Amino acid sequence: MAASEAFPFCKTGGLGDAVGALAQVFSRAEGSEVVLFLPRYRNIGGGAFSLKAVGGSFLIPVGDRLETAAMHHVQWGKVSVYFIENSKYFDRPGIYRANFGDYEDNDERFIFFSRAVLEGAKFIGFKPDVIHTHDWQTGLVSAYLKTLYKIDSFFSKTAVVFTINNIAYQGMFPRETLLKAGFSWLDFTPDKLEFYSGVNYMKAGIVFSDIITTVSPTYAGELQFKPEFGKGLEGVLRSRNQDIFGILNGMDDEIWDPAGDSFIERGYDQNSFAKGKAACKQALQHECGLQESKDTLLAGVVSRLDRQKGLDVLYNVLPEFTDKIQFAVLGAGDPGLSEAYANMAHARPKEVFFRTGFHESLAHRIYAASDIFLMPSRFEPCGLSQMIAMRYGALPVVTRTGGLKDTVSYTDEPKESNGFAIDFADEAALKSILGHAVSLYAWKENWNTMVRNAMKCDFSWTRSSQEYLKLFNIAHQKKQL
Ligand code: ADP
Ligand code: GLC
C-alpha cells in the first residue's frame, strides 16, 4: 500500500482513517503480507512508535536533479511500515499546505514519493503482487509502472488497484511537471497524462491502474454520470466503466467504541446510552461553556471546513435555531468560515461552541455528547463521520449523496430510520429537517428507536476488506496472463 496518510501516523481526514484501517485488516487476511509506504512528515516518530533506520539510501530523479531517499521502518502489528524520508520535501509544518495554501512544489513532492515507493520496494526486496494506491498523491505510481518501469522485470507481475477517496482533489499541475516526473512527451496525450494542457495525477491513477475503486457504490455512479461530481474526469472514468467498483468504507470499531472510549465522560452501549449520553453531554456542555441543559438538543460537527461539507449552508441556518439547539463545532480548514464560526460562538457562547484545529480527543467527546450530528455535504465520497456518529448514538443529519446515501436511512417510520436526510445542501431543506429533529426529540420513544437503529449498524471493515481482496486477486490474475 502507498498513500499520503494513514492513521495513527498522519491524518488530515477520512483518507488517513481508511488507509490505516485497511492496512491492518488486509494484514490479517490469510496468506497476505502488507507493506505500507508513507512519507516521513515532521513529527512522525517518537510517541508510541519507535522508528528504526533502514540504513543506506537510494536516488530518485526529479527533473534534472537526483534526490536522496532514505527510509525508517516500524513494525505495526503485522503491517510493515516504511517511511520515505527527504527532509527538503517532507520535514515541514503541514502535510499538503502551510497556512497560505498548498505547497508550490506538491508536484515534485509526490513525484518523489511515488517513484520512491517503487524504488523502496526494490530496495527492501519486496516484490508485491498488488500495489494499492490512494488518490492523486499516489496516482503516478501506476503511470510509472506502465511507462518507465514497464521493462523492469521486478514489477512484471505487479498489478495496481487505485482507490479514489475524493476526486475533488486531483493534483493538477502545469505541463512542465511532465518533465520533472521523467515521462516522455509521447505520454502527454488526452488518453494518458494530458488534462487541459497540464498534468493531472488523479487522471494518471485512473488511466494506468488495473482496477479502480471508489469508496461507496453511490459515489461510483455519481462520478461517472454526473459532471458536477466527476469534476472533469467523468469521461475518463466512463471509459473505464468495466473496471470501476464502489466499495463502502468501514470504520475502525476499536478506535470508535463508546463502550471502551477513554476520552469520554462515561462509556455506554445500546442498552445504556440514555445515561451514558446524558453524562457525556453534561461534561461537554461544561467543557465548552454551553448552557448545562439536559433537554436541549445538542448538535455536533467534526469536520474539515471545506465547501464540500456544506457548513456554509449550516452557518446561515444556525441563528434561527439557537433557542432550540446547541451547537458544538470542531472544524479546521477554510479561514473565512473558521472566523465566521468563531465570531458566532463569541456572540452566543451559551448556545454555540466553536474550536478550530485538529483535536482527536475533543472529536470523541463531541460524537459522544451529541444528539444529532450535522453533515449537510454537497458531495461525500463515503464519509466516516456519520458512521462514527451513529456508533455513538448521535443521529446524523445528512444529504442524500455518496456514502451518506448508502449509510443513512430516513423515512416517515422511525423504525426504519437511523438518521435524517435531505436531497440537497440548501437552506430551506436544512431548516425543515432541523425543525423536524427538534420536534421528534421531544418524542423520546421514537427518538430512542432511531438511536438504537443507528448504534446497531455494522460498519466494520470486514465486509469491505473482503471485497477488496477479491479485486486484488482479479487484478493479480490479470497480470499473470
Ligand atoms: P473527510 O475525509 O472528507 O474529511 P470523513 O467523514 O471521511 O471526511 O472523515 C473525517 C475524519 O476526520 C473523521 O475521523 C473525523 O472525526 C476526523 N476529523 C475531521 N476534522 C477533524 C478535526 N478538526 N479534529 C479532529 N478530527 C477531525
Ligand atoms: C475523503 C472523502 C470522504 C471519505 C474519505 C475516506 O476524504 O471526502 O468522504 O470518507 O476520503 O475514503
Side-chain angles (χ1 to χ4, degrees), residues 63-175:
D64 51 14
R65 296 184 316 272
L66 285 174
E67 297 288 347
T68 305
M71 293 197 295
H72 269 71
H73 173 252
V74 73
Q75 190 61 37
W76 177 40
K78 290 178 75 185
V79 180
S80 204
V81 190
Y82 286 88
F83 296 95
I84 295 176
E85 286 171 52
N86 175 298
S87 53
K88 182 177 81 182
Y89 288 137
F90 299 127
D91 186 7
R92 301 185 183 187
I95 291 188
Y96 310 122
R97 47 171 47 217
N99 288 338
F100 302 104
D102 289 354
Y103 291 128
E104 278 181 5
D105 58 350
N106 269 351
D107 59 344
E108 281 191 27
R109 298 173 75 224
F110 291 100
I111 285 172
F112 172 82
F113 178 65
S114 296
R115 202 155 171 182
V117 166
L118 298 176
E119 292 298 330
K122 290 172 81 168
F123 192 77
I124 57 170
F126 181 78
K127 208 179 256 192
D129 295 323
V130 177
I131 305 183
H132 186 195
T133 52
H134 290 262
D135 283 357
W136 72 265
Q137 294 89 344
T138 49
L140 293 187
V141 171
S142 14
Y144 281 126
L145 277 180
K146 295 276 162 67
T147 58
L148 298 180
Y149 288 72
K150 202 174 172 182
I151 50 165
D152 188 329
S153 62
F154 191 86
F155 294 113
S156 62
K157 303 256 185 267
T158 300
V160 186
V161 175
F162 178 63
T163 296
I164 301 171
N165 290 264
N166 194 341
I167 209 155
Y169 306 94
Q170 299 188 355
M172 281 189 268
F173 302 102
R175 66 207 308 256

Side-chain angles (χ1 to χ4, degrees), residues 24-259:
Q24 281 299 328
V25 280
F26 292 158
S27 75
R28 288 181 221 129
E30 208 185 313
S32 73
E33 194 183 343
V34 177
V35 170
L36 169 64
F37 286 99
L38 296 169
R40 184 169 184 198
Y41 304 111
R42 182 176 296 176
N43 298 334
I44 286 186
F49 297 97
S50 57
L51 269 52
K52 290 203 177 59
V54 171
S57 62
F58 46 95
L59 296 172
I60 303 294
V62 180
D64 51 14
R65 296 184 316 272
L66 285 174
E67 297 288 347
T68 305
M71 293 197 295
H72 269 71
H73 173 252
V74 73
Q75 190 61 37
W76 177 40
K78 290 178 75 185
V79 180
S80 204
V81 190
Y82 286 88
F83 296 95
I84 295 176
E85 286 171 52
N86 175 298
S87 53
K88 182 177 81 182
Y89 288 137
F90 299 127
D91 186 7
R92 301 185 183 187
I95 291 188
Y96 310 122
R97 47 171 47 217
N99 288 338
F100 302 104
D102 289 354
Y103 291 128
E104 278 181 5
D105 58 350
N106 269 351
D107 59 344
E108 281 191 27
R109 298 173 75 224
F110 291 100
I111 285 172
F112 172 82
F113 178 65
S114 296
R115 202 155 171 182
V117 166
L118 298 176
E119 292 298 330
K122 290 172 81 168
F123 192 77
I124 57 170
F126 181 78
K127 208 179 256 192
D129 295 323
V130 177
I131 305 183
H132 186 195
T133 52
H134 290 262
D135 283 357
W136 72 265
Q137 294 89 344
T138 49
L140 293 187
V141 171
S142 14
Y144 281 126
L145 277 180
K146 295 276 162 67
T147 58
L148 298 180
Y149 288 72
K150 202 174 172 182
I151 50 165
D152 188 329
S153 62
F154 191 86
F155 294 113
S156 62
K157 303 256 185 267
T158 300
V160 186
V161 175
F162 178 63
T163 296
I164 301 171
N165 290 264
N166 194 341
I167 209 155
Y169 306 94
Q170 299 188 355
M172 281 189 268
F173 302 102
R175 66 207 308 256
E176 293 72 40
T177 293
L178 187 89
L179 299 178
K180 290 188 195 168
F183 296 118
S184 131
W185 286 113
L186 292 174
D187 296 317
F188 195 63
T189 53
D191 60 328
K192 291 184 183 160
L193 292 165
E194 193 267 347
F195 186 72
Y196 294 98
S197 310
V199 177
N200 180 323
Y201 288 15
M202 178 66 86
K203 180 177 176 182
I206 297 167
V207 170
F208 289 107
S209 301
D210 299 288
I211 284 181
I212 300 128
T213 74
T214 188
V215 290
S216 70
T218 294
Y219 194 57
E222 289 171 340
L223 278 179
Q224 299 176 70
F225 304 109
K226 294 188 179 172
E228 69 276 25
F229 286 86
K231 314 257 181 216
L233 289 175
E234 54 283 355
V236 181
L237 284 157
R238 277 199 304 275
S239 72
R240 303 259 1 230
N241 175 271
Q242 295 305 307
D243 300 313
I244 300 185
F245 300 85
I247 304 180
L248 192 70
N249 281 336
M251 56 163 255
D252 191 319
D253 44 17
E254 283 172 23
I255 296 172
W256 301 107
D257 173 16

